Amino acid sequence: MLGTIRVSGAKNAALPAMAAALLTDEPVTLENIPQVRDIETTRKLLAAMGAEVELGYGRAQHRTTICARNLTSPEASYELVKQMRASSLVLGPLLARCGRARVSLPGGCAIGARPIDLHIKGLEQLGAKITQDHGYVEATADRLKGGEISFEKITVTGTEDLLMAATLADGESVLHNCAREPEVADLAELLNKMGALIEGAGTPTIRVKGVGKLHGAKHRIIPDRIEAGTFIIAGALTGGDMNIAGCEPAHLDVLIAKLHEVGVKTAQSADTVRVMGDGPFKASDIITQEYPGFPTDMQAQYMALATQAEGTSVITENIFENRFMHVSELMRMGANIRIEGRRAIVRGKTPLSAAAVLASDLRASASLLLAALVAEGESIIDRVYHIDRGYEHIEEKLKGVGAQIRRIGEILPKKAAAPSRV
Ligand code: EPU
């Protein structure tokens, strides 16, 4: 694949930014919003609470303005939470702004159990009264009180939820063992523009001085590092020469260092990574970890590359307990992979042959797509609605750099598919 491919705004930064708009009665304008299904689900979620959500069109199609002046119903229904687990991000902001929130419990999903107990515990430490009934979390608080929270385990949306809640609490909060993902720092930047007093976002300890009120703001969402990483691997796998433009190379350091070990050549400028994938590739192990470690959201895509590397790559998934759903489909395409608990042992290099495969979640579908790009023959990937949750117009972007790809609609009836709450 040859040419330039542009990266969209980060879905996982856009989702908390939209939830942050609930903290003020003034309009919040967000730019570089990706056109993906999870954003549309969030729009519905906020609109159901009474917020006005304007999505741009034409040249402003990546902009949204949210005004949460009249929050008539501070609730996130099961109908929406089951479509998108990140809906639980509204819990903290609703409680802080309205003094009450009712949010459906997300339950498990395709990649693991994914509880929200750490969000709940943290909010209780800020003085919230929380009960769980009929599958819903009901939270109330007159006004949250600043406090000290130490996360037992690092959680990205948990950190974001508590950070948002603490902005309107009475007094200072200190959050320990926080997620350091760039998406957390981006959220803090938006909140500070809204008048919050946050220090230390992007480090393990975040300090928040509560304020009485937040105001409107305008903010540009950071580029999607996972989308960028997926395209870098696409360039490498296909022996291409591609520019991945509009990204933030600093957010890709660990991935790029690993790809260099594998034998992928890259060069970078301020906002572009050039990938030259002329191989041969050699196997290298990865262990997924919280940022700045190797991202779990790139594990499946890396596995597609590992099938084309000489030798044995051991891929250890440390964040989610069930994130190997792509393995059996990759094996159907000719990959040699064995799963041992949290480890997948990939023996390469094996030629891949085209097959009809089934996507099980967002990043698994990206991995199958990458494998299909190098497989001999024509592959059909079904349930691609998973990929639309987090990749903007992926087939058009890939077509622009030479992939032969087209969307042909659903093959299996939609209702036969289990919902994914990634
Ligand atoms: N966990 C708990 N209790 C909690 C919260 C999390 O036990 O209250 C556990 C989870 O079950 C998991 C681990 O902690 O084993 C880490 O989960 P985390 O909370 O960090 O994940 P998340 O916030 O639900 C976000 C991204 C995911 C990404 C993970 C890890 C968003 C909207 N989602 O999820 O993105 O995989 O962090 O980096 O930011 C994706 O984009 O494909 C995706 C799944």
Side-chain angles (χ1 to χ4, degrees), residues 11-12 114-118 155-157 297 319 363 422:
K11 164 188 80 93
N12 288 350
R114 307 186 76 187
I116 57 163
D117 55 315
L118 301 175
T155 157
V156 177
T157 49
D297 289 347
I319 307 294
R363 308 302 169 187
V422 178

Side-chain angles (χ1 to χ4, degrees), residues 207-274:
R207 285 175 189 279
V208 188
K209 283 202 182 92
V211 295
K213 202 170 159 37
L214 293 176
H215 52 74
K218 192 169 171 178
H219 182 70
R220 187 173 172 82
I221 300 294
I222 54 170
D224 196 314
R225 62 196 166 96
I226 306 301
E227 188 197 19
T230 304
F231 292 149
I232 294 174
I233 292 187
L237 266 175
T238 57
D241 188 345
M242 259 165 62
N243 284 313
I244 320 300
C247 64
E248 174 49 84
H251 295 166
L252 294 159
D253 276 352
V254 167
L255 173 69
I256 290 175
K258 178 52 68 179
L259 294 179
H260 287 171
E261 269 179 55
V262 173
V264 178
K265 294 186 190 66
T266 68
Q268 37 182 285
S269 61
D271 72 343
T272 300
V273 175
R274 178 176 170 196

Side-chain angles (χ1 to χ4, degrees), residues 11-13 15-16 85-86 89 111-120 153-158 160 179 181 183 225-226 289-290 295-297 318-321 323 342 361-363 422:
K11 164 188 80 93
N12 288 350
L15 300 178
R85 193 191 172 285
L89 275 169
I111 63 175
R114 307 186 76 187
I116 57 163
D117 55 315
L118 301 175
H119 302 228
I120 294 172
K153 189 171 180 176
I154 297 178
T155 157
V156 177
T157 49
E160 293 164 346
E181 267 68 2
E183 291 76 16
R225 62 196 166 96
I226 306 301
Q289 280 165 333
E290 297 87 359
T296 171
D297 289 347
N318 256 338
I319 307 294
F320 293 112
E321 61 277 20
R323 210 173 198 183
R342 282 182 172 256
D361 75 77
L362 172 56
R363 308 302 169 187
V422 178

Side-chain angles (χ1 to χ4, degrees), residues 3-4 20 32 44 51 90 104 116 138 150 155-156 158 178 189 205 222 262 269 305 319 328 383 419:
T4 297
N32 207 26
K44 285 188 193 148
V90 300
S104 170
I116 57 163
E138 304 239 11
S150 208
T155 157
V156 177
C178 294
E189 200 181 313
T205 306
I222 54 170
V262 173
S269 61
L305 180 66
I319 307 294
S328 52
R383 298 188 181 167

